[in-house]
Amino acid sequence: MADLTTKICGVTLKNPVIGASGTVGFGREYDEIYDISLLGGISTKGLTLEPRRGNPVPRIAEGTSVILNAVGLQNPGVEKFIANDLPWLKTKGLAVVANVAGRTVEEYRDICERLDGLVDIIELNISCPNVKSGGMAFGIRPESIAAVTRAAKSGLRRTPLMVKLSPNVESIPVNARAAEGAGADCISLVNTFTGMAIDIERRRPIIANNTGGVSGAGIKPIAVRMVYEAAHAVGIPVVGMGGIQTAEDAIEFLMAGAVAVQVGTANFTDACAMPKIIAGLNEWCDAHGVKAVSELVGTLRMN
Amino acid sequence: MREVEGVVLSNCAVAAGIYEMRLLVPDASDVRPGQFLNLSSGEGELLLRRPLGIARHSEDCVTVCYQVKGRGTKALSCRVPGDRLSMLMPLGNGFYVKDSERRIALVGGGVGVFPLLSVAEAYRDREVSAYLGFRNRAAICYEEEFRAVSRLTIGTDDGSVGEKKNAVELFLADYEREKPDVILSCGPPVMLRALKRAIAERGIQAPCYVSLEERMGCGIGACLVCVCDLTNGEHARVCKDGPIFEIGEVEL
Ligand SMILES: Cc1cc2nc3c(=O)[nH]c(=O)nc-3n(C[C@H](O)[C@H](O)[C@H](O)COP(=O)(O)OP(=O)(O)OC[C@H]3O[C@@H](n4cnc5c(N)ncnc54)[C@H](O)[C@@H]3O)c2cc1C
Ligand SMILES: Cc1cc2nc3c(=O)[nH]c(=O)nc-3n(C[C@H](O)[C@H](O)[C@H](O)COP(=O)(O)O)c2cc1C
Ligand code: FES
């Protein structure tokens, strides 16, 4: 049994595997399949101050080794989350990461203020490609990343802030440093890549929103490169994700410099993907004489 | 609902472009009629599973029938006995028939007929009338299975078998005589819309439940990919709150 615990800005996780935002809801459904308290944490569906309806359907399409989605931040609003879901999640003994979004810088501050002290980490979704206002608009330019990070931070006294970076940008290192400089306690990446899939019979995009966010196994090499770049650009912890399906995939991210990982699309391919990844991490460490998974972080040697 | 691995027992064409796959699973005794499973295609590069209605089940076996449409169902059609496919099952709410509902009308079109077989087989003690519409003679399947458990009326789009009527027209033609206590339906959206219109126009009072289809991600209610609009303005998840809805409750 290797030591799988990992620490992200003062929060201890029993293992480095976190359910990625938008793919695990608030945890209830997966808890019907396995006990989610064995996870390191879960990141909630993107929360907003008011309830949101999201985009019309179809909201999903499939490519080779990837999927595209445009759910568009459908959520019950932060108050309903606090009243109905958070108390239950708190009993599960895992790190609760609240993924939040806003239309304006002020909304980002307000929702952070509302959740301050109630959750373990707040993950700032400044990179959702599927909503027209806000979301990705904030996540592209370093200046706006700094502005929204500063605003969010001003609403927080107790809970650490994780800024989730978009991959649809010019420079990951520049944007990672912008978030760090504005007070982010840690960074997560990658969100989805903007893409399009076309129904050639109808000559129309399959997804009602026309474009969707690309995720899943096929994006992993790009995500690993970006996580490596981010981890080397900043001093704060980095949480990596993008296409992780197996323990070996997760280890690539750890070696590239991530202290923890998130798993999204793989949950759709196998509902028990995360428990299997956790078990696999343990086995790999044991087989390789690694006593603690934290020993792997950032151990990549370049050619 | 649970994550299980199934073993393909058989996988054969039963009509033009339609395959029947039987899978050995650890336990299928709790499957309700109208529930579905979310089945891996067995193709690693396809990350999404395919939602398929459970047509029949026994203690340790589930049968699905699928039309070959795109890459996933094409891949499924290549699976051979002994292959292992992971899946989530059983999913969704399923059809509920009250004890007082003695006369059941099943209205099914195309691949929508399969989940209805599970209803007819589950409620053998009722009077079940099945109205099934197919494209043509080659598309007809499960005729014997339905005949064994229901009073069956078949129609085809080209009139090659039975009357040249769709499932809704067959049902309406028989309605006054049969007067079912409950109507259960599954089929393409155009068919469900026609049924909804006819129920309103004819002032049919019997409750009617329909099974919806929507593209899915997780299949268990977590990702909000598969929503449909309810007439009260709310959203519902087809995979978890459905796939069966009261016909007046959903926008079709
Ligand atoms: C609850 C439910 C029960 C179903 N039961 C049956 C059944 O018993 N028999 C049958 O033949 N078909 C059934 N379908 C439809 C079946 O899921 C699709 O035909 C199938 O997913 C198409 O996959 P593909 O790879 O051939 O097509 P592709 O176009 O390659 O699929 C691409 C993506 O779109 C999804 N998709 C495409 N069409 C549909 C659709 N109509 N509904 C949902 N997702 C779709 C696929 O699942 C996949 O994720 C059911 C659908 C639902 C939601
Ligand atoms: C259906 C779906 C919904 C998502 N919703 C959100 C969201 O609300 N907020 C967010 O920050 N990321 C969201 N994401 C992005 C994931 O959290 C993750 O960044 C991305 O999918 C890459 O990881 P993966 O390849 O493991 O899926 C969503 C992804 C999917 C597939
Ligand atoms: S498919 Fe995920 S909520 Fe229905």
Side-chain angles (χ1 to χ4, degrees), chain B residues 160-184:
Chain B
S160 52
V161 177
E163 286 188 77
K164 192 169 169 173
K165 282 184 175 163
N166 64 38
V168 175
E169 291 165 341
L170 295 172
F171 161 71
L172 290 174
D174 216 19
Y175 177 72
E176 287 306 327
R177 199 158 53 87
E178 283 294 316
K179 283 277 167 66
D181 300 322
V182 64
I183 306 156
L184 309 179

PDB file of all heavy atoms in Angstrom, chain B residues 160-184:
ATOM      1  N   SER B 160     -46.674  -3.611 -47.563  1.00  0.00           N
ATOM      2  CA  SER B 160     -46.244  -4.967 -47.932  1.00  0.00           C
ATOM      3  C   SER B 160     -46.725  -6.012 -46.934  1.00  0.00           C
ATOM      4  O   SER B 160     -46.877  -7.182 -47.275  1.00  0.00           O
ATOM      5  CB  SER B 160     -44.716  -5.029 -48.093  1.00  0.00           C
ATOM      6  OG  SER B 160     -44.069  -4.506 -46.950  1.00  0.00           O
ATOM      7  N   VAL B 161     -46.960  -5.598 -45.691  1.00  0.00           N
ATOM      8  CA  VAL B 161     -47.565  -6.491 -44.695  1.00  0.00           C
ATOM      9  C   VAL B 161     -48.604  -5.682 -43.929  1.00  0.00           C
ATOM     10  O   VAL B 161     -48.355  -4.530 -43.558  1.00  0.00           O
ATOM     11  CB  VAL B 161     -46.510  -7.031 -43.698  1.00  0.00           C
ATOM     12  CG1 VAL B 161     -47.175  -7.897 -42.623  1.00  0.00           C
ATOM     13  CG2 VAL B 161     -45.441  -7.832 -44.425  1.00  0.00           C
ATOM     14  N   GLY B 162     -49.766  -6.277 -43.698  1.00  0.00           N
ATOM     15  CA  GLY B 162     -50.810  -5.602 -42.946  1.00  0.00           C
ATOM     16  C   GLY B 162     -51.310  -4.377 -43.691  1.00  0.00           C
ATOM     17  O   GLY B 162     -51.151  -4.252 -44.909  1.00  0.00           O
ATOM     18  N   GLU B 163     -51.927  -3.470 -42.946  1.00  0.00           N
ATOM     19  CA  GLU B 163     -52.443  -2.268 -43.589  1.00  0.00           C
ATOM     20  C   GLU B 163     -51.323  -1.269 -43.829  1.00  0.00           C
ATOM     21  O   GLU B 163     -50.304  -1.278 -43.149  1.00  0.00           O
ATOM     22  CB  GLU B 163     -53.507  -1.635 -42.694  1.00  0.00           C
ATOM     23  CG  GLU B 163     -54.810  -2.401 -42.690  1.00  0.00           C
ATOM     24  CD  GLU B 163     -55.874  -1.634 -41.944  1.00  0.00           C
ATOM     25  OE1 GLU B 163     -56.420  -0.671 -42.509  1.00  0.00           O
ATOM     26  OE2 GLU B 163     -56.121  -1.977 -40.781  1.00  0.00           O
ATOM     27  N   LYS B 164     -51.541  -0.372 -44.793  1.00  0.00           N
ATOM     28  CA  LYS B 164     -50.563   0.676 -45.081  1.00  0.00           C
ATOM     29  C   LYS B 164     -50.814   1.825 -44.107  1.00  0.00           C
ATOM     30  O   LYS B 164     -51.319   2.888 -44.472  1.00  0.00           O
ATOM     31  CB  LYS B 164     -50.746   1.129 -46.534  1.00  0.00           C
ATOM     32  CG  LYS B 164     -49.618   1.988 -47.050  1.00  0.00           C
ATOM     33  CD  LYS B 164     -49.748   2.171 -48.560  1.00  0.00           C
ATOM     34  CE  LYS B 164     -48.790   3.232 -49.046  1.00  0.00           C
ATOM     35  NZ  LYS B 164     -48.775   3.318 -50.505  1.00  0.00           N
ATOM     36  N   LYS B 165     -50.526   1.559 -42.850  1.00  0.00           N
ATOM     37  CA  LYS B 165     -50.768   2.545 -41.799  1.00  0.00           C
ATOM     38  C   LYS B 165     -49.599   2.545 -40.828  1.00  0.00           C
ATOM     39  O   LYS B 165     -48.924   1.533 -40.655  1.00  0.00           O
ATOM     40  CB  LYS B 165     -52.032   2.178 -41.016  1.00  0.00           C
ATOM     41  CG  LYS B 165     -53.336   2.526 -41.721  1.00  0.00           C
ATOM     42  CD  LYS B 165     -54.511   2.206 -40.827  1.00  0.00           C
ATOM     43  CE  LYS B 165     -55.800   2.681 -41.489  1.00  0.00           C
ATOM     44  NZ  LYS B 165     -56.969   2.048 -40.881  1.00  0.00           N
ATOM     45  N   ASN B 166     -49.408   3.698 -40.174  1.00  0.00           N
ATOM     46  CA  ASN B 166     -48.394   3.723 -39.126  1.00  0.00           C
ATOM     47  C   ASN B 166     -49.018   3.289 -37.804  1.00  0.00           C
ATOM     48  O   ASN B 166     -50.232   3.080 -37.707  1.00  0.00           O
ATOM     49  CB  ASN B 166     -47.713   5.096 -39.022  1.00  0.00           C
ATOM     50  CG  ASN B 166     -48.678   6.190 -38.605  1.00  0.00           C
ATOM     51  OD1 ASN B 166     -49.568   5.969 -37.775  1.00  0.00           O
ATOM     52  ND2 ASN B 166     -48.511   7.371 -39.169  1.00  0.00           N
ATOM     53  N   ALA B 167     -48.186   3.155 -36.773  1.00  0.00           N
ATOM     54  CA  ALA B 167     -48.648   2.588 -35.505  1.00  0.00           C
ATOM     55  C   ALA B 167     -49.768   3.413 -34.884  1.00  0.00           C
ATOM     56  O   ALA B 167     -50.730   2.868 -34.330  1.00  0.00           O
ATOM     57  CB  ALA B 167     -47.471   2.472 -34.538  1.00  0.00           C
ATOM     58  N   VAL B 168     -49.674   4.737 -34.992  1.00  0.00           N
ATOM     59  CA  VAL B 168     -50.694   5.598 -34.391  1.00  0.00           C
ATOM     60  C   VAL B 168     -52.030   5.416 -35.114  1.00  0.00           C
ATOM     61  O   VAL B 168     -53.089   5.322 -34.481  1.00  0.00           O
ATOM     62  CB  VAL B 168     -50.240   7.079 -34.425  1.00  0.00           C
ATOM     63  CG1 VAL B 168     -51.347   7.996 -33.920  1.00  0.00           C
ATOM     64  CG2 VAL B 168     -48.973   7.260 -33.593  1.00  0.00           C
ATOM     65  N   GLU B 169     -51.979   5.319 -36.440  1.00  0.00           N
ATOM     66  CA  GLU B 169     -53.218   5.116 -37.206  1.00  0.00           C
ATOM     67  C   GLU B 169     -53.851   3.764 -36.869  1.00  0.00           C
ATOM     68  O   GLU B 169     -55.072   3.663 -36.740  1.00  0.00           O
ATOM     69  CB  GLU B 169     -52.914   5.208 -38.708  1.00  0.00           C
ATOM     70  CG  GLU B 169     -52.554   6.624 -39.139  1.00  0.00           C
ATOM     71  CD  GLU B 169     -51.901   6.693 -40.530  1.00  0.00           C
ATOM     72  OE1 GLU B 169     -51.403   5.660 -41.025  1.00  0.00           O
ATOM     73  OE2 GLU B 169     -51.878   7.791 -41.089  1.00  0.00           O
ATOM     74  N   LEU B 170     -53.019   2.750 -36.717  1.00  0.00           N
ATOM     75  CA  LEU B 170     -53.546   1.423 -36.349  1.00  0.00           C
ATOM     76  C   LEU B 170     -54.235   1.485 -34.989  1.00  0.00           C
ATOM     77  O   LEU B 170     -55.325   0.949 -34.788  1.00  0.00           O
ATOM     78  CB  LEU B 170     -52.413   0.386 -36.287  1.00  0.00           C
ATOM     79  CG  LEU B 170     -51.684   0.041 -37.578  1.00  0.00           C
ATOM     80  CD1 LEU B 170     -50.480  -0.846 -37.272  1.00  0.00           C
ATOM     81  CD2 LEU B 170     -52.615  -0.645 -38.573  1.00  0.00           C
ATOM     82  N   PHE B 171     -53.588   2.157 -34.066  1.00  0.00           N
ATOM     83  CA  PHE B 171     -54.122   2.284 -32.705  1.00  0.00           C
ATOM     84  C   PHE B 171     -55.460   3.036 -32.718  1.00  0.00           C
ATOM     85  O   PHE B 171     -56.439   2.595 -32.104  1.00  0.00           O
ATOM     86  CB  PHE B 171     -53.100   3.014 -31.823  1.00  0.00           C
ATOM     87  CG  PHE B 171     -53.663   3.604 -30.574  1.00  0.00           C
ATOM     88  CD1 PHE B 171     -54.071   2.792 -29.522  1.00  0.00           C
ATOM     89  CD2 PHE B 171     -53.802   4.981 -30.447  1.00  0.00           C
ATOM     90  CE1 PHE B 171     -54.604   3.337 -28.364  1.00  0.00           C
ATOM     91  CE2 PHE B 171     -54.328   5.536 -29.297  1.00  0.00           C
ATOM     92  CZ  PHE B 171     -54.736   4.708 -28.255  1.00  0.00           C
ATOM     93  N   LEU B 172     -55.499   4.145 -33.453  1.00  0.00           N
ATOM     94  CA  LEU B 172     -56.716   4.962 -33.469  1.00  0.00           C
ATOM     95  C   LEU B 172     -57.883   4.202 -34.099  1.00  0.00           C
ATOM     96  O   LEU B 172     -59.024   4.296 -33.634  1.00  0.00           O
ATOM     97  CB  LEU B 172     -56.469   6.274 -34.222  1.00  0.00           C
ATOM     98  CG  LEU B 172     -55.544   7.268 -33.503  1.00  0.00           C
ATOM     99  CD1 LEU B 172     -55.249   8.462 -34.398  1.00  0.00           C
ATOM    100  CD2 LEU B 172     -56.150   7.717 -32.176  1.00  0.00           C
ATOM    101  N   ALA B 173     -57.567   3.426 -35.144  1.00  0.00           N
ATOM    102  CA  ALA B 173     -58.623   2.681 -35.833  1.00  0.00           C
ATOM    103  C   ALA B 173     -59.287   1.680 -34.882  1.00  0.00           C
ATOM    104  O   ALA B 173     -60.449   1.331 -35.036  1.00  0.00           O
ATOM    105  CB  ALA B 173     -58.032   1.955 -37.044  1.00  0.00           C
ATOM    106  N   ASP B 174     -58.545   1.237 -33.896  1.00  0.00           N
ATOM    107  CA  ASP B 174     -59.009   0.192 -32.988  1.00  0.00           C
ATOM    108  C   ASP B 174     -59.502   0.752 -31.654  1.00  0.00           C
ATOM    109  O   ASP B 174     -60.044   0.025 -30.828  1.00  0.00           O
ATOM    110  CB  ASP B 174     -57.822  -0.759 -32.726  1.00  0.00           C
ATOM    111  CG  ASP B 174     -58.273  -2.201 -32.588  1.00  0.00           C
ATOM    112  OD1 ASP B 174     -59.390  -2.510 -33.041  1.00  0.00           O
ATOM    113  OD2 ASP B 174     -57.520  -2.996 -32.010  1.00  0.00           O
ATOM    114  N   TYR B 175     -59.277   2.035 -31.453  1.00  0.00           N
ATOM    115  CA  TYR B 175     -59.433   2.597 -30.111  1.00  0.00           C
ATOM    116  C   TYR B 175     -60.838   2.416 -29.532  1.00  0.00           C
ATOM    117  O   TYR B 175     -61.002   1.963 -28.399  1.00  0.00           O
ATOM    118  CB  TYR B 175     -59.053   4.083 -30.087  1.00  0.00           C
ATOM    119  CG  TYR B 175     -59.288   4.695 -28.734  1.00  0.00           C
ATOM    120  CD1 TYR B 175     -58.448   4.383 -27.661  1.00  0.00           C
ATOM    121  CD2 TYR B 175     -60.387   5.524 -28.497  1.00  0.00           C
ATOM    122  CE1 TYR B 175     -58.680   4.888 -26.403  1.00  0.00           C
ATOM    123  CE2 TYR B 175     -60.617   6.033 -27.233  1.00  0.00           C
ATOM    124  CZ  TYR B 175     -59.772   5.721 -26.192  1.00  0.00           C
ATOM    125  OH  TYR B 175     -60.008   6.209 -24.942  1.00  0.00           O
ATOM    126  N   GLU B 176     -61.865   2.741 -30.308  1.00  0.00           N
ATOM    127  CA  GLU B 176     -63.236   2.695 -29.792  1.00  0.00           C
ATOM    128  C   GLU B 176     -63.608   1.284 -29.337  1.00  0.00           C
ATOM    129  O   GLU B 176     -64.324   1.109 -28.362  1.00  0.00           O
ATOM    130  CB  GLU B 176     -64.226   3.182 -30.844  1.00  0.00           C
ATOM    131  CG  GLU B 176     -64.187   4.689 -31.080  1.00  0.00           C
ATOM    132  CD  GLU B 176     -64.369   5.508 -29.791  1.00  0.00           C
ATOM    133  OE1 GLU B 176     -65.108   5.048 -28.887  1.00  0.00           O
ATOM    134  OE2 GLU B 176     -63.740   6.579 -29.677  1.00  0.00           O
ATOM    135  N   ARG B 177     -63.096   0.300 -30.062  1.00  0.00           N
ATOM    136  CA  ARG B 177     -63.414  -1.084 -29.741  1.00  0.00           C
ATOM    137  C   ARG B 177     -62.639  -1.557 -28.499  1.00  0.00           C
ATOM    138  O   ARG B 177     -63.176  -2.219 -27.636  1.00  0.00           O
ATOM    139  CB  ARG B 177     -63.070  -1.982 -30.936  1.00  0.00           C
ATOM    140  CG  ARG B 177     -63.738  -3.329 -30.925  1.00  0.00           C
ATOM    141  CD  ARG B 177     -63.784  -3.900 -32.332  1.00  0.00           C
ATOM    142  NE  ARG B 177     -62.456  -3.919 -32.945  1.00  0.00           N
ATOM    143  CZ  ARG B 177     -61.580  -4.923 -32.798  1.00  0.00           C
ATOM    144  NH1 ARG B 177     -61.893  -5.964 -32.075  1.00  0.00           N
ATOM    145  NH2 ARG B 177     -60.416  -4.878 -33.388  1.00  0.00           N
ATOM    146  N   GLU B 178     -61.370  -1.157 -28.419  1.00  0.00           N
ATOM    147  CA  GLU B 178     -60.502  -1.674 -27.358  1.00  0.00           C
ATOM    148  C   GLU B 178     -60.597  -0.893 -26.057  1.00  0.00           C
ATOM    149  O   GLU B 178     -60.487  -1.452 -24.970  1.00  0.00           O
ATOM    150  CB  GLU B 178     -59.040  -1.685 -27.838  1.00  0.00           C
ATOM    151  CG  GLU B 178     -58.718  -2.826 -28.779  1.00  0.00           C
ATOM    152  CD  GLU B 178     -58.814  -4.182 -28.097  1.00  0.00           C
ATOM    153  OE1 GLU B 178     -58.327  -4.322 -26.959  1.00  0.00           O
ATOM    154  OE2 GLU B 178     -59.408  -5.088 -28.706  1.00  0.00           O
ATOM    155  N   LYS B 179     -60.757   0.431 -26.161  1.00  0.00           N
ATOM    156  CA  LYS B 179     -60.810   1.305 -24.979  1.00  0.00           C
ATOM    157  C   LYS B 179     -59.790   0.908 -23.907  1.00  0.00           C
ATOM    158  O   LYS B 179     -60.151   0.468 -22.808  1.00  0.00           O
ATOM    159  CB  LYS B 179     -62.228   1.289 -24.387  1.00  0.00           C
ATOM    160  CG  LYS B 179     -63.247   2.126 -25.158  1.00  0.00           C
ATOM    161  CD  LYS B 179     -63.134   3.572 -24.737  1.00  0.00           C
ATOM    162  CE  LYS B 179     -63.852   4.544 -25.622  1.00  0.00           C
ATOM    163  NZ  LYS B 179     -65.249   4.523 -25.699  1.00  0.00           N
ATOM    164  N   PRO B 180     -58.488   1.058 -24.207  1.00  0.00           N
ATOM    165  CA  PRO B 180     -57.467   0.650 -23.235  1.00  0.00           C
ATOM    166  C   PRO B 180     -57.488   1.522 -21.983  1.00  0.00           C
ATOM    167  O   PRO B 180     -57.928   2.670 -22.025  1.00  0.00           O
ATOM    168  CB  PRO B 180     -56.159   0.844 -23.996  1.00  0.00           C
ATOM    169  CG  PRO B 180     -56.469   1.883 -25.020  1.00  0.00           C
ATOM    170  CD  PRO B 180     -57.899   1.661 -25.412  1.00  0.00           C
ATOM    171  N   ASP B 181     -57.022   0.958 -20.874  1.00  0.00           N
ATOM    172  CA  ASP B 181     -56.908   1.717 -19.620  1.00  0.00           C
ATOM    173  C   ASP B 181     -55.641   2.562 -19.599  1.00  0.00           C
ATOM    174  O   ASP B 181     -55.545   3.545 -18.866  1.00  0.00           O
ATOM    175  CB  ASP B 181     -56.872   0.754 -18.426  1.00  0.00           C
ATOM    176  CG  ASP B 181     -58.124  -0.088 -18.348  1.00  0.00           C
ATOM    177  OD1 ASP B 181     -59.213   0.451 -18.628  1.00  0.00           O
ATOM    178  OD2 ASP B 181     -58.016  -1.288 -18.026  1.00  0.00           O
ATOM    179  N   VAL B 182     -54.636   2.117 -20.364  1.00  0.00           N
ATOM    180  CA  VAL B 182     -53.376   2.860 -20.409  1.00  0.00           C
ATOM    181  C   VAL B 182     -52.725   2.632 -21.772  1.00  0.00           C
ATOM    182  O   VAL B 182     -52.874   1.559 -22.366  1.00  0.00           O
ATOM    183  CB  VAL B 182     -52.438   2.438 -19.245  1.00  0.00           C
ATOM    184  CG1 VAL B 182     -52.024   0.978 -19.362  1.00  0.00           C
ATOM    185  CG2 VAL B 182     -51.200   3.329 -19.167  1.00  0.00           C
ATOM    186  N   ILE B 183     -52.033   3.690 -22.247  1.00  0.00           N
ATOM    187  CA  ILE B 183     -51.365   3.618 -23.553  1.00  0.00           C
ATOM    188  C   ILE B 183     -49.863   3.811 -23.322  1.00  0.00           C
ATOM    189  O   ILE B 183     -49.458   4.777 -22.668  1.00  0.00           O
ATOM    190  CB  ILE B 183     -51.884   4.739 -24.490  1.00  0.00           C
ATOM    191  CG1 ILE B 183     -53.415   4.697 -24.580  1.00  0.00           C
ATOM    192  CG2 ILE B 183     -51.245   4.646 -25.872  1.00  0.00           C
ATOM    193  CD1 ILE B 183     -54.030   6.033 -24.968  1.00  0.00           C
ATOM    194  N   LEU B 184     -49.066   2.900 -23.838  1.00  0.00           N
ATOM    195  CA  LEU B 184     -47.610   3.000 -23.687  1.00  0.00           C
ATOM    196  C   LEU B 184     -46.991   3.040 -25.079  1.00  0.00           C
ATOM    197  O   LEU B 184     -47.350   2.225 -25.936  1.00  0.00           O
ATOM    198  CB  LEU B 184     -47.063   1.798 -22.913  1.00  0.00           C
ATOM    199  CG  LEU B 184     -47.749   1.487 -21.578  1.00  0.00           C
ATOM    200  CD1 LEU B 184     -47.129   0.247 -20.935  1.00  0.00           C
ATOM    201  CD2 LEU B 184     -47.659   2.669 -20.625  1.00  0.00           C
TER     202      LEU B 184
END
